[in-house]
Amino acid sequence: MGINNQNITIKKSTTTKINEVDFSNLSFGENFTDHMFECDYIDGEWTNAQIRPYGPISLDPSAKVFHYGQAIFEGMKAYKSVDGAVWLFRPEDNLIRLNKSAVRLAIPEFPKDLFFDGMELLLNIDKEWIQTTEGSSMYIRPFIIATEPGVSASPAKRYKFMFILSPAQSYYSGEVKVLFADKYSRSASGGVGFAKCAGNYAGQFYPTKLANDAGYQQVVWTDSSTHENLEEAGTMNVFFRVGDTLITAPTSDRILDGITRKSVIAIAEKAGYKVEIRDVSVYEIEEAAKNGTLLEMFGAGTAAVINPIVSFNFKGNDYDLPKLENSYASIIKKKITDIQTGKAEDPFGWKYAVRSI
């Protein structure tokens, strides 16, 4: 089945930036390919779908995204095998979550056919930017913003959807030390914590800066009511290994339903690890650290896949985790990345072959 591009206008760039990029030394999310996809919501329908050269967009200063924060996004990755085939990892899950975020922020949902057609056309056009070296991928950022002019406090009637592409290398942030939150919250019950909306991330920056100033790389967020249950690590879902049991918090209206999170759980269960999805108390984890049964902590998300945590601080006390030869984190990360890059079979049906044009 081919890509239906009859309703997508394509204007290709007459030049390329690809030769200006050092693919062996990429900073995450700072380089973008030659083209982008955009589509506008006008008079109750998504229209004006086009792929054009990457560049600035024009918005009225009163566009509602600037004043009332109607902005949502997703993070995805594409991989290229040595034979030139391009693959995506669980892309339909990203679309489902994008539209869940849209509903929560009173933004019109984006149609599935146009989502896949636009993304795959764009990936075909900028295919040369996807590298085949170890750890390389193409980061895909779909997003929707409110573009209707006016400062009345109401949902917009006009929106813009876009795809932009950024080449990426294997992500490694070094040894991560975290601070358990006991004052600030990422989200609250009944709020928008489960949505990938821009404001969730803006609200994290200040408490994360305070943690950075104190010598920690990230904050592990706790529930807003009691600050006693551990929920997310920075912008990632968080896992704890106590003994031989892998524990993570259940999703809720406070916690993002991470696609990597779901993949970690499925891989762990298939490998025969004991997995518990339940509330995780800060006191339980502190006690496990004290008695030596806390063996691992790690974050799970699109950019890093899995990011090990080497120590945490709770109420002024630091706790170091042991260094393990064959950690669950390293084993599970390899299994996921091997599926993503085609080095291993995909028993889950997660890989999606990008159609060619």
Side-chain angles (χ1 to χ4, degrees), residues 79 89-90 236-248 259-276 296-301 304-308 324-341 344-345 347-348 350:
Y79 305 84
F89 184 72
R90 306 187 71 165
M236 309 175 81
N237 296 113
V238 64
F239 287 81
F240 308 88
R241 178 185 170 189
V242 178
D244 288 331
T245 301
L246 198 59
I247 309 168
T248 192
I259 293 163
T260 307
R261 172 189 177 275
K262 291 189 286 191
S263 304
V264 168
I265 292 169
I267 291 274
E269 289 179 336
K270 186 172 178 60
Y273 301 154
K274 184 179 178 183
V275 179
E276 293 183 0
E296 295 183 62
M297 288 175 55
F298 57 86
V305 183
I306 286 177
N307 199 341
L324 304 180
E325 283 293 323
N326 294 301
S327 66
Y328 282 11
S330 62
I331 293 169
I332 294 171
K333 181 174 183 176
K334 186 176 189 306
K335 287 181 179 292
I336 292 176
T337 55
D338 281 354
I339 291 173
Q340 290 173 331
T341 55
E345 292 297 314
F348 305 98
W350 289 338

Side-chain angles (χ1 to χ4, degrees), residues 39-48 108-109 147-149 156-160:
C39 187
D40 295 307
Y41 186 82
I42 303 171
D43 296 331
E45 64 176 348
W46 288 101
T47 186
N48 298 337
E109 296 178 66
T147 56
E148 181 192 3
K157 296 184 178 66
R158 299 185 63 163
Y159 298 86
K160 184 178 289 291

Side-chain angles (χ1 to χ4, degrees), residues 72 98-109:
I72 58 173
L98 179 81
N99 282 333
K100 284 177 66 177
S101 299
V103 169
R104 182 61 182 85
L105 269 73
I107 293 172
E109 296 178 66

